[in-house]
Structures are given as structure tokens and as C-alpha cells.
Amino acid sequence: MTTLKDQMERRRATAFPAFLTLVFLSVFTSALFAADADQDLVNRAKSIFGPLPASMPSPDNPITPAKVKLGNMLFWETRISSDGAVSCVKCHPLGLFAADGLKKAVGNHCKENPRNSPTILNAAAQISSHWIGNRTNVEDQAKQALIGPPSFGMPTYESVEKILKNMPGYVTLFHDAFPKDKDPVTSDNFARAVGAFERTLMTPSPFDNFMNGKAAALSGQQKRGLQTFLDTGCMTCHYSPYLGGQMYQKFGVFQPYWNLTKSQPVDEGRFAVTKNEADKYVFKVPILRNVAATPPFFHDGSVDRLEEAVTIMAKLQLARDLTKEQAADITAFLGSLTGNVPASVLMVPLLPRAD
Amino acid sequence: MTTLKDQMERRRATAFPAFLTLVFLSVFTSALFAADADQDLVNRAKSIFGPLPASMPSPDNPITPAKVKLGNMLFWETRISSDGAVSCVKCHPLGLFAADGLKKAVGNHCKENPRNSPTILNAAAQISSHWIGNRTNVEDQAKQALIGPPSFGMPTYESVEKILKNMPGYVTLFHDAFPKDKDPVTSDNFARAVGAFERTLMTPSPFDNFMNGKAAALSGQQKRGLQTFLDTGCMTCHYSPYLGGQMYQKFGVFQPYWNLTKSQPVDEGRFAVTKNEADKYVFKVPILRNVAATPPFFHDGSVDRLEEAVTIMAKLQLARDLTKEQAADITAFLGSLTGNVPASVLMVPLLPRAD
């Protein structure tokens, strides 16, 4: 005979496992859903961005070890500037992820440049160099910098070549890098060597691991931030493995940018190049790789904090008021774009000297 | 019976080996003499200079890995200067053996410094830092640079500390380096960290191998140059493993230095510090380690070529007219002081950023 007590105990004995099963099932299915959601996010990110390639070859300037070696040395070379103090590194210090941390770049004799130094890490695959499309690519940028009045400030390309030719170590290195050239120490080859070096400056980051299928490479907040980045429409302009650099866009689609950035003076952007009214306040969409490590932000460095820059962008470009939480999430996601700078790139090369 | 022909042949047979023996003996003894001469030169060099130590510890600032790590980062830090563009590296670029190649150093907002940037490689063991004895040691130099109007140009030490405290990465690094300090982010600890880093910057060179007994580490010309360096009296001032840095001396013992250097304006040297008439035109004797790699020369960078600097020095300080060959030999010898910069020192550290 079973007492009521017996029945109760039997029920409890079966009920408890049933309850446990329910808990397990719930955890399991929500993990499954989470895994599904992660996989969806991975797939979506992969289709819109895609992981970084290993380098950015160009048919016009094939990457060779000899060219990269020379380019790396020239990248540090100050003796080819009008005050002997400007090298590529001046505006692109590697310890600060190859941006100088200043509002606007400062060149020879402390001349202020018109705009903020963009990082040159992962920068070679953009439609153009600099902010307004007046430098076709990294090679063109490197070459023009030599005689740019606010950058290296040299009077002529010949004056640069003369200095380099006076250092036998460089003459040998140019011959090694351009073995078919009879007289290889030219500004065009300077540009090719520096460009080849820059084409190797890739910094894969946790976000690449995520796109390669490791969902745990991003924190929960970073995943939410990525989701918001996609849902809000940031990726309309900031796409490609570089999250930008592929198009020009008006800065301030829904209201003048200087309303929010407090920029002074107002920069008319690409209009300066094309004189086309439609290009007023148009800038190249900057890449977002290493953005968290390269303040201040915007073409004039007018904003210091990334979260503020994110909030301003949503308002100006998408007429969206992000909540504080959304802005923080996107900022956290952008942190996942801070990459590994290869040790070889961080090594200072010893430079040749005059005999 | 032996014919005359036989005798002649026998004589030739014994005479030829005798001639050979003579040649061998002569080669052998001159090799012995050369080895003796080399050994004499090694011994003499060793007693006057002595090889570089592995580092330059100081009782006041013990070297620890945490201090060196922090000091290395601070060495590259531009964000603690008044224009955000000056770090220790500005005047001491490692790719140029930690001297800037300019006549006179250039600091914040392109302000010219009164004198030439000396290399900071092997520099910590000198009687003082800089040229005229107004910086007691590398720590004092590092600290004073922060508020030096023509160097970092910061208004106060507190303003530097505020910037560093705003970067959590630095706060942690200061705590690691100065574990006993409650509030370790101070300018004094900045100085200790940078100083500890500088105390590790040793660059052993072929000349150290020579002093360690490898006579072949120097070429024939370099050995002649060393001999002339010793015989002429250069080592009266340029002694110690650093070949200098141990005393002050009047620049221009036998005639005003500006007669030969064409210096403009004339720098009164240590007189500016002591106001003692006897210190007019007195400077610290610079170290000669890496001298061939760090033009231009003298306190004002007034001479570009090492051979000319050598010739001028002999005339000004020793009233000796070196022959062209002697000057070339000494210059070749000085080339043997160009050392190996450790790879760890050439690696750019990634710097903390503000949160």
C-alpha cells in the first residue's frame, strides 16, 4: 500500500529530474539560438566586410623583399626633408598605430597641414590616399610628400635624389630593389619602395578571427555593437575589409558637420579638388581599422573621444540618435578592429650614412 | 770522384732549401713581431680604455626590467610635449644611432636648442649629460627636458603627470616599475625609468673585440689610426671605455676654436653655468662611441666630415698638424667604435592610450 507520503516522494523524485531537464533544455536551446545568432552575425559580417588579406599587392608596383626593405628604411629617413627633421614616421609614428595623435599633421619647420594624419596601417587598398582624393594611391602620396610645402618641403625631386645618391648604402639598396634600372635612385622609385612597404602594413585583429568563424573572438558587447553598426547603417559607407576607404561621401548628410564637430575653420573637402558644387564637404570615408587607437577623429581631429565621434556620425550621416548604450556598444565593437602590428614593422632600421 | 758539376749541383741542392728557410724565417719572425706589436697595442688600448661594460648601473637608480620597459615606452612618448610632437626620440632617433643629424637640436614648435644632440647610446656613464655640465646625469637630463622651453616645453611637471595619469596603461606600468610608491606617476619616476632604459643602451663594437684580444678585429689602417690616436695624445681627454665623457676641457687650447670651425655665434661653453672665467670655451669632452655614425660634429655641429673634425681637433687641442694619411687612419680607427645597437632597443613599443 502506498501512502500519500510515498506518492509525494515518488512524484518529487521524478519531478526534480524533469525540472532539471527543462533547465538543461532551456540552456541548451538558448545556447543553440545564441550559436545560431552568432553564426548569422559572422556570416553577415563576412559578406559585408570580409577578413583582411595578407598584403595589398598592386600590378603597377609588385611587392618584393628588396623593395620593402628599402621602403622601410626610407620611411624613417629624415635627411631628405628641408629641415632635416621630417620622415614618414613624423606623421605616422608606429608606436601610436601610425597616426600622430595631433589634430592636424605638422611638417617641416612646424608647418601645419590642412588635415589630420590618417594611419597608414591597412591604408593602401583605398580609392585614394589622404582625405579629399588629391593623392591617387600610397605611391603618389609618398612621392608628393617629398616636395609638399607643409610636409618634407624639399624644393625639387632632384634635390632629394642628390642627397640619397650621396649615401652609397642607399645607392646599393636602390640597385637591389630596382635591378633593371640603370640609374635607380629616383623619386619615382622612392615612391615605389615606400609604397611597397606600406602595402605590407596589415594588422589583423580580433574582428578577423570573428569573421573567420571564431564567434568568441568578440565579447557580448562587441557583438551587440557590431549588430547596431549593421542595423543603423554605418556599413553603408564603412564596408570592405578596411571598413571604409572605398568611396567619397558628404560629411554632414542631414545637417552641416560643423554644427556638431564645432570645426573651425570649415573645410570644403573634395570641392577643393574638383570645384564641383556637389563635392562641397565631401571627404573620403576613412577606414576604421585601428580607429580606437588613433584619436583624435575626423578630417580635422576636432573630436577626441571615439564614443562622441560615433554619436556624431550617426546623427550627421544617418539622422539617428544613438542611445548612450548603443554608442558604447559600437565603440566596443570598433575596439575589436585594433590589430597586431607585425614585429618586423616595429623594428627601426639603421640607416646608411654619407661617406 | 766528384766532378765540379757534381759539387755545384750538390751545393744548389742544399743552397735552395737554405734560401727558402731564410724566407720562411723572415716571414715567421715578422709575423711574430707583428703579433707582438698587435699585442702591445691591445694591451695599451686595454689599459687606457678598456672594453664596454654590459650596462651602467647606478646605486641611485637600480636597473630593473619593469623600469626599463616603462622607460623605453616613455622614450617614444610624444603626448607629454607642448606641441604633442616631441619625444626623446626626436633628438635621438635610433636609426641614426640616437643622434638627429642636425647642427643643433630642434624641440617643441621647432625651437632651436643651443647645441648639437649627443647620442644617448653608451652615454650614461659620463660625468654629466649635455655639453656644459648643466645636467648632472641621464635622469636629471630626462626630467629637465620635460619643462625645458626648447625641448618638451611643458609648463609644469604636474601637467606631464596629469597626461600620464589619464592613460591607465601608464598608471599600471608605473606601479609595476615602482612597486613601493603609493602614487608612482611622478616626473621623478619618469626620469628614473628613462634613465634606467638609457643605462642599458650599450653598443659593443669591433674595438671591444680588439681590446678583448682579437687583434684581427681592426684592419691595418685602423690599428695605425689607433697608434696615432695614442701617440698624438687624443686619449689624454678621450679615455675610458667611452673614449670621453670623463672631464671638461677648453675647446681651443692653442687657438680659438672658431678660427677653424667657423662657428657662429661663439659659444662660451661651461662659463654659462659657473660664470668662472676659467670655464670660458670649456665643454665636456664628448664620448667617441659611434662617432662616425653621428655627424655633424662639435657642440654646434659646425663640421660635417669626421676627417675634418679630427684634423681640427689635433690642431686646436694638441697643436699638431696631422698628415692627410694620419687623419684618414684615425678616422678609420674611429669607425671601429660604431657598435651594434641591440634589437630590443630598435623595437618600437606600442604606447598606452587614453580611455
Side-chain angles (χ1 to χ4, degrees):
Chain A
M1 199 189 129
T2 55
T3 61
L4 183 63
K5 200 181 157 205
D6 280 347
Q7 282 182 19
M8 295 260 310
E9 273 179 354
R10 215 171 296 141
R11 215 174 266 177
R12 210 175 286 148
T14 55
F16 191 68
F19 170 71
L20 262 186
T21 311
L22 214 69
V23 169
F24 285 149
L25 261 177
S26 146
V27 169
F28 183 67
T29 49
S30 70
L32 264 185
F33 281 132
D36 271 0
D38 276 356
Q39 195 52 53
D40 281 353
L41 197 56
V42 165
N43 292 342
R44 210 169 149 205
K46 213 166 161 180
S47 73
I48 290 171
F49 310 110
L52 270 188
S55 68
M56 286 165 286
S58 97
D60 297 338
N61 186 25
I63 299 173
T64 65
K67 240 190 254 181
V68 171
K69 180 185 175 187
L70 172 60
N72 188 11
M73 294 171 88
L74 293 170
F75 193 77
W76 286 87
E77 186 52 74
T78 50
R79 291 167 292 177
I80 48 174
S81 63
S82 69
D83 64 356
V86 175
S87 69
C88 305
V89 173
K90 184 164 196 337
C91 296
H92 305 290
L94 296 168
L96 296 173
F97 284 80
D100 59 17
L102 303 173
K103 288 190 189 305
K104 294 181 182 177
V106 171
N108 75 90
H109 297 96
C110 286
K111 286 178 200 147
E112 191 179 72
N113 281 252
R115 297 179 190 88
N116 178 264
S117 295
T119 178
I120 44 87
L121 300 174
N122 316 291
Q126 300 177 91
I127 43 165
S128 61
S129 288
H130 281 190
W131 284 93
I132 60 168
N134 55 350
R135 302 288 186 273
T136 55
N137 54 23
V138 285
E139 286 82 4
D140 181 41
Q141 192 279 326
K143 185 177 173 187
Q144 287 202 49
L146 291 173
I147 59 164
S151 44
F152 288 63
M154 292 295 283
T156 59
Y157 289 124
E158 290 69 31
S159 59
V160 176
E161 293 158 5
K162 197 179 155 190
I163 294 169
L164 292 171
K165 282 178 184 171
N166 194 33
M167 294 189 257
Y170 272 126
V171 175
T172 304
L173 287 159
F174 271 89
H175 271 288
D176 292 348
F178 303 96
K180 287 180 191 160
D181 290 16
K182 222 174 169 178
D183 184 15
V185 187
T186 65
S187 301
D188 283 325
N189 283 343
F190 166 92
R192 287 186 189 106
V194 172
F197 171 62
E198 290 189 58
R199 288 177 185 282
T200 67
L201 300 179
M202 313 297 281
T203 66
S205 77
F207 186 50
D208 297 289
N209 294 338
F210 180 80
M211 286 191 283
N212 285 326
K214 285 189 193 158
L218 261 55
S219 72
Q221 185 183 24
Q222 288 176 321
K223 286 177 202 165
R224 281 203 311 276
L226 168 57
Q227 192 74 57
T228 310
F229 188 89
L230 297 171
D231 294 346
T232 311
C234 309
M235 87 303 178
T236 316
C237 297
H238 291 285
Y239 58 89
S240 89
Y242 313 96
L243 293 90
Q246 311 306 314
M247 62 186 285
Y248 298 99
Q249 178 58 283
K250 185 175 180 180
F251 186 28
V253 173
F254 288 96
Q255 59 170 306
Y257 71 81
W258 53 92
N259 282 2
L260 302 186
T261 62
K262 311 295 175 202
S263 293
Q264 262 191 343
V266 166
D267 185 334
E268 296 189 322
R270 193 156 161 70
F271 176 74
V273 182
T274 65
K275 301 295 171 195
N276 182 342
E277 200 66 25
D279 283 333
K280 260 196 179 161
Y281 319 124
V282 165
F283 296 86
K284 188 187 67 190
V285 175
I287 62 172
L288 297 181
R289 291 272 173 187
N290 300 306
V291 67
T294 53
F297 305 103
F298 302 139
H299 65 276
D300 55 2
S302 49
V303 170
D304 284 328
R305 293 183 60 85
L306 186 54
E307 207 166 312
E308 189 187 348
V310 167
T311 307
I312 289 175
M313 282 304 286
K315 211 166 168 65
L316 287 179
Q317 308 302 105
L318 301 157
R320 288 286 298 267
D321 284 308
L322 295 179
T323 65
K324 225 175 141 52
E325 200 191 14
Q326 286 174 319
D329 289 351
I330 291 179
T331 303
F333 160 61
L334 295 176
S336 79
L337 300 171
T338 302
N340 297 315
V341 186
S344 60
V345 171
L346 293 173
M347 186 70 84
V348 182
L350 292 176
L351 304 179
R353 56 196 161 80
D355 254 7
Chain B
M1 195 188 131
T2 57
T3 62
L4 183 69
K5 200 182 158 203
D6 280 346
Q7 282 181 21
M8 295 254 315
E9 274 178 351
R10 216 171 294 144
R11 213 175 270 177
R12 208 176 283 148
T14 54
F16 192 68
F19 170 73
L20 261 185
T21 309
L22 216 69
V23 169
F24 285 150
L25 262 177
S26 145
V27 168
F28 183 66
T29 49
S30 69
L32 265 184
F33 282 132
D36 272 359
D38 276 355
Q39 196 51 53
D40 282 352
L41 198 56
V42 165
N43 293 343
R44 211 170 149 204
K46 214 167 162 178
S47 73
I48 290 172
F49 310 110
L52 269 189
S55 68
M56 284 166 286
S58 97
D60 298 336
N61 186 26
I63 299 173
T64 66
K67 238 190 256 181
V68 172
K69 181 184 174 187
L70 171 60
N72 188 9
M73 293 171 89
L74 293 170
F75 193 77
W76 286 88
E77 188 50 76
T78 50
R79 291 167 293 178
I80 48 175
S81 63
S82 69
D83 64 356
V86 175
S87 68
C88 305
V89 173
K90 184 164 197 335
C91 296
H92 306 289
L94 297 168
L96 295 173
F97 284 80
D100 60 16
L102 303 173
K103 288 188 187 308
K104 294 180 181 176
V106 172
N108 75 89
H109 298 96
C110 286
K111 286 177 201 147
E112 192 178 71
N113 281 254
R115 296 180 191 87
N116 178 264
S117 295
T119 179
I120 44 88
L121 300 174
N122 317 290
Q126 300 177 91
I127 43 165
S128 60
S129 287
H130 279 191
W131 284 92
I132 60 169
N134 54 350
R135 303 288 187 272
T136 55
N137 55 23
V138 285
E139 286 81 5
D140 181 42
Q141 191 279 325
K143 185 177 173 188
Q144 287 202 48
L146 291 173
I147 58 163
S151 44
F152 287 64
M154 292 296 282
T156 59
Y157 288 125
E158 291 69 32
S159 59
V160 176
E161 292 158 6
K162 197 179 154 191
I163 293 169
L164 292 172
K165 282 179 183 169
N166 193 34
M167 295 189 257
Y170 272 126
V171 176
T172 304
L173 288 159
F174 272 88
H175 272 286
D176 292 348
F178 303 97
K180 288 178 191 162
D181 290 16
K182 222 174 169 178
D183 185 15
V185 187
T186 66
S187 300
D188 283 326
N189 282 344
F190 166 91
R192 288 186 189 104
V194 172
F197 171 63
E198 290 189 60
R199 289 176 185 283
T200 67
L201 301 180
M202 313 298 280
T203 65
S205 77
F207 185 51
D208 297 289
N209 294 338
F210 180 79
M211 285 190 285
N212 284 326
K214 284 189 193 157
L218 261 54
S219 71
Q221 186 183 22
Q222 289 176 320
K223 287 177 202 165
R224 280 202 313 274
L226 168 58
Q227 193 73 57
T228 310
F229 187 90
L230 297 170
D231 295 344
T232 310
C234 309
M235 86 301 177
T236 316
C237 297
H238 291 284
Y239 58 89
S240 90
Y242 313 97
L243 293 89
Q246 310 307 312
M247 63 186 286
Y248 299 98
Q249 178 58 282
K250 184 173 179 181
F251 186 29
V253 173
F254 289 95
Q255 60 171 304
Y257 72 80
W258 54 92
N259 281 3
L260 301 188
T261 62
K262 311 296 173 202
S263 293
Q264 260 189 345
V266 167
D267 184 334
E268 296 188 322
R270 193 156 161 69
F271 176 76
V273 181
T274 64
K275 302 294 171 198
N276 181 343
E277 200 66 24
D279 283 333
K280 260 196 179 160
Y281 319 124
V282 165
F283 296 86
K284 189 187 66 191
V285 175
I287 62 172
L288 296 180
R289 291 271 172 186
N290 299 307
V291 67
T294 52
F297 305 103
F298 302 139
H299 65 276
D300 56 2
S302 51
V303 170
D304 284 327
R305 293 184 62 85
L306 185 54
E307 208 166 312
E308 189 187 349
V310 167
T311 307
I312 289 174
M313 283 303 286
K315 211 166 169 65
L316 287 179
Q317 307 303 103
L318 300 156
R320 288 286 298 266
D321 284 309
L322 295 179
T323 64
K324 225 177 140 54
E325 200 190 15
Q326 286 174 318
D329 289 351
I330 291 179
T331 303
F333 159 61
L334 294 176
S336 78
L337 300 170
T338 302
N340 296 317
V341 186
S344 60
V345 171
L346 294 173
M347 186 72 83
V348 182
L350 292 176
L351 303 179
R353 57 197 159 78
D355 251 10

